[in-house]
Amino acid sequence: MPLGLDADLLEILACPAPDHGALRPGTPEDADAAALTCTVCGRRYPVTDGIPVLLLSEATGGPEQSAQG
């Protein structure tokens, strides 16, 4: 399993944003990146030392950054 995350854990993790969705390993640019990407909003959450950091303040990408760019 990518990132060393348990498959059962990955199945129950979800994006903490109000428009939440399932998370998938990696990013659209790099499937092996140490991150989880929301399948709905596109936010990317880092995985540090095998621990997903599911804080909106730590997320990159998503609707806010698309609106700024």
Side-chain angles (χ1 to χ4, degrees), residues 40-65:
V40 174
C41 68
R43 287 180 180 89
R44 296 175 200 123
Y45 298 93
V47 176
T48 306
D49 296 326
I51 301 169
V53 182
L54 300 179
L55 300 172
L56 289 173
S57 62
E58 296 292 323
T60 59
E64 292 85 13
Q65 287 192 354

Side-chain angles (χ1 to χ4, degrees), residues 5-39:
L5 295 176
D6 183 71
D8 292 331
L9 175 62
L10 193 54
E11 282 186 34
I12 61 171
L13 289 178
C15 178
D19 52 350
H20 70 280
L23 297 171
R24 62 179 169 77
T27 66
E29 298 82 20
D30 183 2
D32 294 325
L36 295 172
T37 301
C38 179
T39 57

